[in-house]
Amino acid sequence: MANSTSVTEFLLLGFSSLGELQLVLFVIFLSFYLIILSGNITIISVIRLDRNLRTPMYFFLCVLSISETFYTIVILPKMLINLLSVLRTLSFVSCVTQMFFFLGFAVTNCLILGAMGYDRYAAICQPLHYHILMSWRVCGQLAATCIASGFLTSLVGTMLVFSLPFCGPNQVDHYFCDISPVIHLACADTHINELLIFIGGVLVLLVPLFFICVSYGFIVRTILRIPSAEGKRKAFSTCASHLTVVIVHYGCASFIYLRPSARYTSGKDRLVTVSYTIITPLLNPVVYSLRNKDVQMALQKIIGKAAFFPKIS
């Protein structure tokens, strides 16, 4: 790869065409970034500190929050710096590294959402066997498989992009090193690589989504059999947060990756990418904290203890 590549750095164009509006975007995105970090760290801390939340559902939520925290750290700090900087370069190795970790955490998020869908299926449709189906050993194996599969997929995807020679233009029409804008800069035939990446994207997105849809099909059938309206409401409320995150996450990611790279359009795609690199990670802590009574009660309990201890001393 090094012998056939003359490009040593990439120029991230990002939002440079917006001129002075970049300062406004900096303030907005910085606010979102701080909310994402504080929200996910709060969820992780609450789940670890409250014994009542030590269940498979909150275990996967904790893993998802950790993954999404690093997912945003890979992208947003550099984007924020570039919004205030004239020099928007990123070294070749840094671009490779950014793409690898971005794809790794993105695929991990997709797979974890799939595992959370299976957890909801087991809890609602198989309540008598739930502790066997979702034992801590099974949860650990599922989480490890999601993470390993995510980064293995990322490794293959990154290699398919950067095994190509880059010897000409180095201006990436995006705010980070994503697949489509980078592979367009290769000075070789990219059709086979793009086809393999497209097939990988279909498998990564549609396979977990298929299992989520099947799980919710069984869940809906089970909920409809519950005689009381209150029972139906309680059963559905345990799935509402997960379903909201799934719709936004898979909807935005599918728009970008479930099509050939040749159809990449910088302006529209950049807007949609903002949705799943900023809005979706922002949505996760907001949905799971504002809509989840268990998390709210645990947070109030922890805040109450923190306020109470100084009075004792």
Side-chain angles (χ1 to χ4, degrees):
M1 182 169 62
N3 293 333
S4 60
T5 299
S6 59
V7 171
T8 58
E9 64 181 15
F10 291 98
L11 178 64
L12 300 175
L13 297 181
F15 300 96
S16 57
S17 61
L18 298 179
E20 294 181 356
L21 283 175
Q22 290 179 96
L23 184 59
V24 178
L25 288 179
F26 173 82
V27 175
I28 294 172
F29 291 155
L30 177 61
S31 301
F32 285 165
Y33 182 50
L34 294 176
I35 294 172
I36 291 168
L37 288 182
S38 58
N40 281 310
I41 290 171
T42 299
I43 286 179
I44 295 166
S45 302
V46 168
I47 292 173
R48 289 186 60 85
L49 291 173
D50 194 295
R51 292 182 177 274
N52 295 326
L53 298 183
R54 293 180 186 177
T55 63
M57 182 177 75
Y58 292 109
F59 167 76
F60 286 117
L61 176 58
C62 186
V63 174
L64 180 65
S65 294
I66 293 171
S67 179
E68 289 202 330
T69 299
F70 286 106
Y71 170 79
T72 53
I73 288 173
V74 170
I75 302 296
L76 293 190
K78 180 62 178 176
M79 183 189 74
L80 290 170
I81 292 171
N82 287 345
L83 284 171
L84 299 180
S85 174
V86 177
L87 188 65
R88 298 181 172 89
T89 57
L90 192 66
S91 70
F92 189 89
V93 174
S94 297
C95 188
V96 176
T97 304
Q98 187 183 60
M99 183 180 292
F100 170 72
F101 282 105
F102 165 73
L103 292 176
F105 288 117
V107 176
T108 297
N109 291 344
C110 289
L111 299 178
I112 289 293
L113 286 171
M116 292 174 76
Y118 174 71
D119 170 71
R120 291 298 82 209
Y121 159 77
I124 294 173
C125 302
Q126 303 289 338
L128 298 179
H129 301 94
Y130 180 68
H131 292 293
I132 298 173
L133 294 173
M134 298 303 295
S135 66
W136 286 115
R137 181 180 178 182
V138 172
C139 291
Q141 290 174 342
L142 277 174
T145 301
C146 290
I147 295 168
S149 300
F151 281 94
L152 180 61
T153 304
S154 173
L155 179 63
V156 174
T158 306
M159 288 178 63
L160 284 171
V161 174
F162 290 100
S163 61
L164 296 166
F166 291 86
C167 50
N170 69 336
Q171 294 185 345
V172 179
D173 195 7
H174 213 339
Y175 58 86
F176 71 98
C177 288
D178 202 0
I179 293 174
S180 293
V182 172
I183 204 170
H184 281 173
L185 302 178
C187 49
D189 185 11
T190 63
H191 286 91
I192 295 177
N193 298 59
E194 288 186 49
L195 177 61
L196 293 173
I197 290 170
F198 174 72
I199 293 171
V202 170
L203 292 175
V204 164
L205 286 170
L206 292 190
V207 171
L209 185 59
F210 172 76
F211 281 107
I212 291 172
C213 291
V214 170
S215 297
Y216 274 99
F218 285 112
I219 288 170
V220 170
R221 189 181 69 173
T222 302
I223 290 176
L224 291 177
R225 291 177 178 175
I226 299 174
S228 67
E230 181 64 18
K232 290 178 181 178
R233 188 192 64 78
K234 286 184 178 180
F236 183 75
S237 66
T238 63
C239 305
S241 299
H242 174 253
L243 199 56
T244 303
V245 174
V246 165
I247 291 170
V248 175
H249 183 91
Y250 278 94
C252 295
S254 297
F255 178 84
I256 297 293
Y257 295 109
L258 293 186
R259 58 179 179 158
S261 296
R263 296 186 181 180
Y264 172 78
T265 54
S266 59
K268 186 187 295 184
D269 285 13
R270 196 180 301 125
L271 181 62
V272 177
T273 307
V274 167
S275 298
Y276 75 81
T277 56
I278 299 177
I279 304 302
T280 303
L282 179 68
L283 184 68
N284 180 40
V286 170
V287 166
Y288 278 104
S289 59
L290 295 182
R291 292 179 57 90
N292 192 296
K293 291 183 179 179
D294 293 335
V295 174
Q296 290 176 4
M297 289 175 63
L299 186 58
Q300 290 172 4
K301 194 188 305 180
I302 292 170
I303 292 174
K305 287 181 179 179
F308 181 70
F309 283 138
K311 295 180 181 179
I312 297 177
S313 59

